[in-house]
Amino acid sequence: MSKNLVIVESPAKAKTIEGYLGKDFKVVSSYGHVRDLPKGDKAIDIENGFRPTYEVTADKKDVIKNLRKLAKEAEIIYLASDDDREGEAISWHLKEALKLKDDFTKRIVFREITKSAIQKALENPRTIDEDLVYAQQARRILDRIVGYELSPVLWKKIKRGLSAGRVQSVAVRLVVEREREIDQFDVQSFFKVSAIFDIDGKELKAELPKRFDTEEEAQAFLESCKAANFTIESLDKKPGKRSPAAPFTTSTLQQEASRKLNFSVSQTMTLAQRLYEAGKISYMRTDSVNLSQEAMDGAAKEIKSAYGAEYAKSRVFKTKSQSAQEAHEAIRPTDFSAHTAGKDYNEKRLYELIWKRAVASQMADAQLERTTVNIDISTNKERLVAHGEVIVFEGFLKVYIESTDDEESGDEAKGMLPPLSIGQNLKLDFLKARQGFTRPAARYTEASLVKKLEEMGIGRPSTYAPTISTIQKREYVVKENREGNERKYTELILKDDNIRSNALTEITGAEKSKLFPTNIAMVVNDFLVDHFPNVIDYSFTANVEEEFDQIAQGSQNWDNMIKNFYGKFHQTVEETEQIDRREVGASRELGIDPESGKTVVARLGKFGPLVQIGEASEDEEDKPKYASLKKGQFIESITLEEALELFQLPREVGEYKGKEVVTAIGRFGPYIKYDEKFISLPKSADPISIELDECIDLIKQKEEADAPIYVYQDKPVQKGKGRFGPFIKWDNMFINVNKKYDWDNLSAQDIEELIEDKLKKEREKVIHNWESEGIRVEKARWGRHNVIKGKVKVELAKNVSVENMTLEEAQTLIANNTPAKKGKAKKK
């Protein structure tokens, strides 16, 4: 029996901490939150001060049972959950659920999992901070109220299954408004002039500081430069410097990991969590850029050792956000002498990013010499300008350069200029006026949306990743790549006193990993803006966050804050019950179909946005016609002509080998149907205009891809590539092919080995197999088990013992979870 019991949230964290403590300590995990508000409208007693009712979640009952046993055996219980509101709430719920007494319960906190930090925490225990608990409770109750009262309104007025949330709906609004801003943007053309001079075989590039609005103005400028002499009018050299960025906060880490490593927000947080729990970095949910003196000393020591004393410069950064807790630290390595850490490739990459940023923040400025060259044109009053930049002392640039989201900043880095002198004559190679086009604000990436939310004071470090994940899971927002469109532009070139005009093309508007709103997002957003403006008002949402901060600081009562919000909100919910569903905007009349004379409507359907000709009637021969919208088409902007074009689908393209080839649009995009096979069309192909020979090429590619590469136990083996990488398919099993195999040249031995390994794993998963009843019990993920019969799968709670389960128990579980058959019930 251990004298001391330490309870943390995660098993990985428990394992790391246990390694630092002696035999008198036992460290165990609660596996996150152990209690929560139950489902249904009984969780919050609105009439009695919004009093919440909590219950132990089904998957934590065994965990609590085990913790109670360990707590009874220990002399002192240390609650060591994370040092934030959520962590404080976990400790409070543990204390309540385990019925721990104050005299034997201590709360300890630390921002890094190192031996010294753990020892310091044990030497300085405290009691649970109830104000932090109240702040978390207020957030949870407010979000539950909004979700439970607002979501049913959306079901009644728009579509079942929708949801709304205080922060998620604001995030969706930002994406919707950006999309409309882009759609309504008026693109303007301009001409930008640049020149290339030849200086003893070296190139000097200069630009005209002004732009021309028309081709005629650009042409006139080039005409004026014929037979001109170009001389250097002035050389202006100035010293300059660049300073390093602050060490990472949660949001800046998410942004930079997105730019440099192409990680999603949730991926970044998962990897950071692992590094934290392994004791490699400080706590990854923080809005502070502060570093402790110990950390600054550790960084300085490493910088002097690796690069020299002249590269070290201690810096103290101040957080701009008023809500940031300066007592907390930025994200940094726990040991600056460890240049690499992490179990896998991505953990190592993220750790290296964190290490470089933290070290660079404590390094000297980069010293630069910036040169500006003004070039005189003898035949024109305008001046050309060239810029050069030379790094005199690297400073922090030796370690790290920050990236940017600004898509306009695509200029090449300024380099050294060739030797120049005032009055020097320059030999013109050519002068070019290139047509350009103004661009709207860029669509959001996950990271730039987090940045925007943070700037507006919406959300906190713990909510960014869940918010971004939620709006995608709810299918309000999709993250995807989109191909650009071809655009023509003009280029005028003056060379050897002759001007020629070139008509060229470029691809514009290509998007990579950008966030796009769906039709349902636009309809829901407009409904909420019209009827619940305070819920998704930007300043209101930011003010609510500030009120949570005030509760955490003890300067506001949580129940009063909820009461002030609820009165007006609940009244609005009741008022929206009277709204006619047809007024909501989920449908839009486009015009009249010239063939049938019937009304054409764009609306939301059960499986997504569609266009419809005619109204539903009892006449079987006069049913409405339906067609799905294509990707990128919106209910609010589709035209009658575009809608009528969609009714050309499904389209009979022709025949191949005596069988019909048909194109259509389905839930997952445009496709070809041939011989009961469905073949997705590439993004560049249009199902309305694609020709038969193009379809045949795609069919052949599909047939080739699906052709068996081997036969094992009289069953064919096929190969393919999916979202999780290359695989082989055999007997309806998908088997991943890892990197140790040569994917392009799989041998018979490789294939048989892969199949047998998979079969072995499948056999090891089975705990019980009652073949006569068609029921089996299998191991699932994360310590769970499934009871399976055909297509019915019952997931058991975590840590449920299944070794002694009987057939009767399994049959009962299946019977209780088998969905009822649809259809009319027979009368007795």
Side-chain angles (χ1 to χ4, degrees):
M1 182 185 87
S2 298
K3 292 181 182 178
N4 304 290
L5 178 67
V6 181
I7 307 176
V8 297
E9 308 102 307
S10 78
K13 191 174 174 182
K15 187 178 179 182
T16 306
I17 292 172
E18 198 160 53
Y20 295 132
L21 301 175
K23 57 181 173 56
D24 288 338
F25 287 84
K26 182 172 182 62
V27 187
V28 292
S29 168
S30 70
Y31 298 89
H33 272 284
V34 293
R35 298 198 311 173
D36 198 5
L37 299 170
K39 291 182 179 179
D41 56 3
K42 304 297 182 187
I44 301 165
D45 189 349
I46 292 169
E47 301 299 324
N48 291 296
F50 303 92
R51 189 174 299 154
T53 298
Y54 295 106
E55 62 179 32
V56 175
T57 53
D59 61 330
K60 296 296 171 63
K61 287 183 178 176
D62 285 345
V63 172
I64 289 295
K65 186 178 177 182
N66 183 48
L67 290 175
R68 276 182 185 152
K69 183 183 175 185
L70 293 171
K72 284 179 181 177
E73 295 171 352
E75 293 178 10
I76 299 291
I77 296 97
Y78 292 95
L79 301 174
S81 48
D82 290 337
D83 183 18
D84 56 17
R85 292 178 203 164
E86 211 68 31
E88 206 71 18
I90 287 173
S91 284
W92 179 77
H93 281 295
L94 279 166
K95 183 173 180 287
E96 295 293 310
L98 300 176
K99 296 181 172 60
L100 301 178
K101 294 180 180 178
D102 290 339
D103 294 344
F104 310 105
T105 307
K106 299 181 186 295
R107 172 81 168 112
I108 58 171
V109 293
F110 38 83
R111 303 291 293 184
E112 61 182 65
I113 304 176
T114 58
K115 189 170 185 177
S116 60
I118 305 299
Q119 291 292 351
K120 188 176 179 182
L122 288 168
E123 291 165 9
N124 298 279
R126 62 170 173 82
T127 57
I128 289 172
D129 186 333
E130 291 190 346
D131 290 329
L132 286 178
V133 176
Y134 291 149
Q136 189 274 344
Q137 181 168 270
R139 177 189 289 279
R140 185 75 186 92
I141 291 173
L142 187 64
D143 289 347
R144 168 60 72 89
I145 288 172
V146 171
Y148 264 61
E149 294 212 4
L150 198 48
S151 296
V153 175
L154 299 179
W155 301 349
K156 292 174 187 175
K157 304 303 175 185
I158 302 176
K159 183 184 172 187
R160 286 200 67 80
L162 298 177
S163 72
R166 187 181 51 82
V167 177
Q168 78 172 55
S169 296
V170 171
V172 170
R173 182 180 180 182
L174 284 167
V175 176
V176 167
E177 290 183 348
R178 178 58 57 86
E179 190 68 27
R180 286 174 173 159
E181 183 184 341
I182 292 168
D183 187 53
Q184 294 163 13
F185 185 76
D186 183 20
V187 177
Q188 301 291 325
S189 167
F190 62 86
F191 282 79
K192 189 174 182 179
V193 175
S194 61
I196 298 294
F197 297 98
D198 182 0
I199 302 176
D200 298 328
K202 293 183 178 178
E203 193 178 88
L204 173 66
K205 183 178 179 180
E207 292 182 347
L208 191 69
K210 67 180 285 186
R211 293 174 172 181
F212 296 109
D213 294 333
T214 65
E215 183 178 344
E216 290 73 22
E217 290 175 310
Q219 176 86 24
F221 176 78
L222 294 192
E223 290 284 354
S224 74
C225 292
K226 285 182 177 179
N229 293 321
F230 298 89
T231 55
I232 294 179
E233 184 179 75
S234 65
L235 283 169
D236 185 16
K237 292 186 178 182
K238 288 183 178 178
K241 69 174 184 177
R242 287 175 65 181
S243 299
F248 284 129
T249 62
T250 300
S251 70
T252 54
L253 175 64
Q254 290 167 352
Q255 291 161 44
E256 197 72 338
S258 174
R259 299 180 193 121
K260 278 184 159 55
L261 308 178
N262 203 29
F263 288 171
S264 69
V265 166
S266 59
Q267 183 183 11
T268 298
M269 294 311 292
T270 299
L271 294 168
Q273 177 98 28
R274 288 185 206 155
L275 289 169
Y276 167 67
E277 290 175 348
K280 303 303 180 185
I281 63 170
S282 59
Y283 192 50
M284 66 286 157
R285 292 190 183 93
T286 178
D287 49 12
S288 172
V289 291
N290 185 44
L291 287 179
S292 66
Q293 189 60 51
E294 184 183 348
M296 291 168 65
D297 292 344
K301 182 180 177 183
E302 190 57 30
I303 292 163
K304 290 172 184 175
S305 169
Y307 308 109
E310 69 274 20
Y311 280 89
K313 180 180 179 180
S314 292
R315 299 171 186 272
V316 176
F317 293 90
K318 289 291 181 184
T319 307
K320 294 177 183 176
S321 170
Q322 293 181 354
S323 64
Q325 299 182 57
E326 292 294 346
H328 292 166
E329 277 196 85
I331 304 169
R332 60 164 178 83
T334 54
D335 179 6
F336 282 90
S337 66
H339 290 216
T340 120
K343 290 183 179 178
D344 60 31
Y345 177 59
N346 283 340
E347 280 185 36
K348 286 180 169 67
R349 292 171 74 202
L350 188 66
Y351 177 83
E352 182 183 28
L353 189 68
I354 293 167
W355 185 91
K356 285 182 174 179
R357 176 83 165 222
V359 166
S361 77
Q362 299 301 303
M363 292 181 73
D365 294 331
Q367 302 298 327
L368 314 169
E369 182 182 79
R370 295 189 175 113
T371 304
T372 302
V373 183
N374 288 304
I375 300 169
D376 178 72
I377 308 168
S378 64
T379 58
N380 199 300
K381 64 177 182 178
E382 300 292 348
R383 300 286 182 270
L384 294 168
V385 178
H387 295 282
E389 190 173 272
V390 178
I391 297 174
V392 179
F393 173 66
E394 283 181 295
F396 77 94
L397 294 177
K398 197 172 186 72
V399 172
Y400 182 82
I401 301 174
E402 187 179 19
S403 300
T404 175
D405 280 323
D406 186 4
E407 296 186 358
E408 295 287 346
S409 63
D411 299 333
E412 293 178 8
K414 300 177 183 71
M416 286 184 65
L417 298 172
L420 300 170
S421 59
I422 295 174
Q424 181 179 347
N425 288 318
L426 302 176
K427 180 185 175 185
L428 179 68
D429 188 356
F430 65 83
L431 197 62
K432 176 173 71 176
R434 188 192 189 280
Q435 186 180 17
F437 300 88
T438 55
R439 292 193 289 184
R443 287 183 175 88
Y444 289 109
T445 61
E446 287 188 352
S448 65
L449 182 56
V450 165
K451 182 181 180 183
K452 183 67 174 176
L453 290 169
E454 185 187 39
E455 286 173 354
M456 299 175 80
I458 296 166
R460 290 295 181 261
S462 62
T463 65
Y464 298 141
T467 298
I468 300 299
S469 297
T470 298
I471 63 175
Q472 292 178 66
K473 285 177 186 172
R474 300 277 190 257
E475 297 184 351
Y476 287 132
V477 170
V478 292
K479 182 175 81 169
E480 59 188 20
N481 301 335
R482 290 195 183 172
E483 295 178 356
N485 302 310
E486 197 174 80
R487 178 171 65 189
K488 294 180 180 178
Y489 71 95
T490 302
E491 194 174 75
L492 305 174
I493 295 180
L494 170 65
K495 189 175 177 69
D496 300 329
D497 286 341
N498 290 312
I499 297 174
R500 73 173 189 273
S501 176
N502 298 327
L504 304 170
T505 59
E506 63 182 353
I507 299 297
T508 182
E511 303 278 17
K512 184 178 179 183
S513 296
K514 293 293 179 69
L515 300 179
F516 295 84
T518 61
N519 274 278
I520 194 71
M522 292 189 159
V523 173
V524 169
N525 176 73
D526 291 350
F527 177 78
L528 294 177
V529 168
D530 289 343
H531 301 289
F532 295 90
N534 62 323
V535 175
I536 62 170
D537 176 72
Y538 297 135
S539 58
F540 167 80
T541 310
N543 290 339
V544 167
E545 296 290 353
E546 289 179 11
E547 289 189 85
F548 290 147
D549 292 337
Q550 290 166 12
I551 294 167
Q553 292 157 13
S555 58
Q556 184 171 175
N557 292 329
W558 73 269
D559 47 354
N560 286 339
M561 181 257 179
I562 302 290
K563 182 181 177 181
N564 293 337
F565 165 81
Y566 183 74
K568 188 175 180 181
F569 170 72
H570 183 67
Q571 182 184 345
T572 309
V573 169
E574 291 181 331
E575 289 170 357
T576 53
E577 296 287 344
Q578 312 306 317
I579 298 169
D580 190 324
R581 192 177 183 192
R582 289 171 293 184
E583 298 175 12
V584 170
S587 67
R588 175 172 158 256
E589 194 172 303
L590 304 181
I592 303 298
D593 172 29
E595 282 189 23
S596 64
K598 294 178 180 177
T599 304
V600 182
V601 173
R603 67 176 182 84
L604 282 174
K606 186 177 180 182
F607 300 111
L610 56 83
V611 283
Q612 173 182 327
I613 297 177
E615 295 291 333
S617 70
E618 294 181 3
D619 187 350
E620 288 292 321
E621 295 182 1
D622 195 29
K623 284 187 173 181
K625 291 181 181 177
Y626 304 98
S628 297
L629 267 60
K630 291 193 287 188
K631 185 181 286 186
Q633 288 182 326
F634 292 110
I635 291 171
E636 65 179 40
S637 58
I638 189 171
T639 64
L640 176 64
E641 292 72 23
E642 290 169 338
L644 293 174
E645 198 176 63
L646 294 172
F647 286 99
Q648 297 176 31
L649 301 172
R651 168 177 163 248
E652 295 179 16
V653 184
E655 285 191 358
Y656 175 56
K657 293 182 180 179
K659 293 174 182 172
E660 210 172 55
V661 178
V662 175
T663 58
I665 295 177
R667 287 183 68 189
F668 305 108
Y671 64 88
I672 299 167
K673 185 182 179 185
Y674 170 75
D675 193 22
E676 301 306 315
K677 290 180 181 176
F678 297 90
I679 303 150
S680 294
L681 283 175
K683 291 178 181 177
S684 57
D686 185 348
I688 293 170
S689 60
I690 191 169
E691 298 292 340
L692 180 61
D693 55 347
E694 294 176 86
C695 290
I696 291 170
D697 285 342
L698 291 167
I699 291 166
K700 286 179 177 176
Q701 290 173 27
K702 178 69 173 173
E703 289 176 336
E704 189 178 321
D706 289 348
I709 58 168
Y710 190 67
V711 175
Y712 184 63
Q713 295 182 359
D714 298 325
K715 293 171 185 173
V717 179
Q718 297 167 306
K719 67 189 290 190
K721 287 188 178 180
R723 56 187 295 206
F724 301 113
F727 65 86
I728 60 171
K729 183 182 177 184
W730 177 80
D731 195 22
N732 287 325
M733 285 196 305
F734 291 88
I735 305 163
N736 291 331
V737 179
N738 60 40
K739 291 179 180 178
K740 79 173 185 178
Y741 296 98
D742 183 351
W743 163 247
D744 296 315
N745 301 292
L746 287 174
S747 66
Q749 183 181 343
D750 293 337
I751 293 167
E752 291 181 12
E753 185 178 289
L754 283 162
I755 293 170
E756 286 301 325
D757 283 350
K758 180 71 172 179
L759 288 172
K760 183 182 177 185
K761 286 176 184 174
E762 291 296 314
R763 285 192 291 268
E764 289 173 351
K765 276 169 56 177
V766 178
I767 308 298
H768 300 291
N769 192 6
W770 296 287
E771 291 185 18
S772 60
E773 297 296 327
I775 298 176
R776 66 187 185 279
V777 181
E778 288 185 355
K779 289 180 184 175
R781 299 169 74 183
W782 301 304
R784 294 177 182 268
H785 294 82
N786 291 327
V787 181
I788 302 166
K789 182 176 182 179
K791 292 185 179 179
V792 179
K793 182 187 288 187
V794 184
E795 187 177 36
L796 301 177
K798 205 172 191 178
N799 300 325
V800 169
S801 176
V802 295
E803 281 72 15
N804 299 319
M805 180 177 280
T806 64
L807 172 59
E808 289 74 21
E809 289 171 331
Q811 286 172 325
T812 302
L813 282 166
I814 292 293
N816 290 340
N817 287 274
T818 302
K821 291 183 179 178
K822 293 181 180 179
K824 294 181 179 178
K826 291 181 180 179
K827 290 183 180 179
K828 289 184 181 179

